[in-house]
Amino acid sequence: LFSNTTVVEPNFSPKVMAIAQNHFGNRTVLVTNLIYNKIGTEFASIDYILTLTRGINQNWSAFIENQGYNGKYYSDGIFRLGAAYLHKKNMQFDASFGTNIKNTPSVFYGGIGFTWRFIKNYKEVKMAKPNTQSKMDKKMEKKAEKNKRKDGVE
């Protein structure tokens, strides 16, 4: 049933990944990861991760995720469900559980996590709704109008 052959994976192999993030409204995000893993080896695989996250309120979010592996030696699909709690601006706790599709082996697991973001140089980016202006934009426009020459010369 099993071969006596020893399989040795290389110590180093490249990985390429493309990541896309799509916002649906102001509380739902879909993240797509496409991965070409272990390039140039006999263990190469094309994988993906699809994550749908929904903000419940200012501190809580929930997610559902599907991860797929498609290679010569291993193929499987994993489904995860979890939630995260934003404790402080730079600290987050999360918990999740998941299971795979195959039963060779069948896997059911859970996990808890903690994330700390180093925010020394972090600057928040805010996007304005279409056809609206921020207070700063209005202020700058008013200042430009005030400093405009009265004789109409630009």
Side-chain angles (χ1 to χ4, degrees), residues 28 37 143:
T28 306
N37 200 6
K143 189 175 182 180

Side-chain angles (χ1 to χ4, degrees), residues 12-127:
F12 174 81
S13 61
K15 177 191 288 191
V16 175
M17 187 180 297
I19 303 171
Q21 181 170 314
N22 301 289
H23 292 257
F24 302 100
N26 59 358
R27 297 189 319 166
T28 306
V29 178
L30 175 66
V31 180
T32 306
N33 299 272
L34 300 174
I35 307 150
Y36 184 25
N37 200 6
K38 300 183 180 183
I39 300 169
T41 72
E42 63 178 304
F43 303 97
S45 67
I46 297 174
D47 311 328
Y48 70 88
I49 305 171
L50 298 171
T51 307
L52 186 64
T53 303
R54 174 81 174 171
I56 298 167
N57 60 33
Q58 202 64 10
N59 295 90
W60 283 96
S61 65
F63 71 89
I64 185 167
E65 186 171 83
N66 175 237
Q67 182 170 3
Y69 300 95
N70 186 18
K72 181 178 174 183
Y73 291 100
Y74 181 72
S75 294
D76 202 352
I78 298 172
F79 290 96
R80 292 184 193 93
L81 190 64
Y85 176 74
L86 187 62
H87 177 64
K88 293 183 179 178
K89 191 174 182 176
N90 63 339
M91 289 183 187
Q92 175 180 295
F93 297 96
D94 62 84
S96 66
F97 62 92
T99 187
N100 65 330
I101 296 171
K102 289 186 165 186
N103 59 4
T104 55
S106 179
V107 178
F108 181 81
Y109 65 91
I112 57 171
F114 170 75
T115 306
W116 174 64
R117 180 173 58 187
F118 183 68
I119 59 173
K120 182 178 179 184
N121 298 319
Y122 176 75
K123 291 183 180 154
E124 194 167 323
V125 177
K126 291 187 179 184
M127 297 175 66

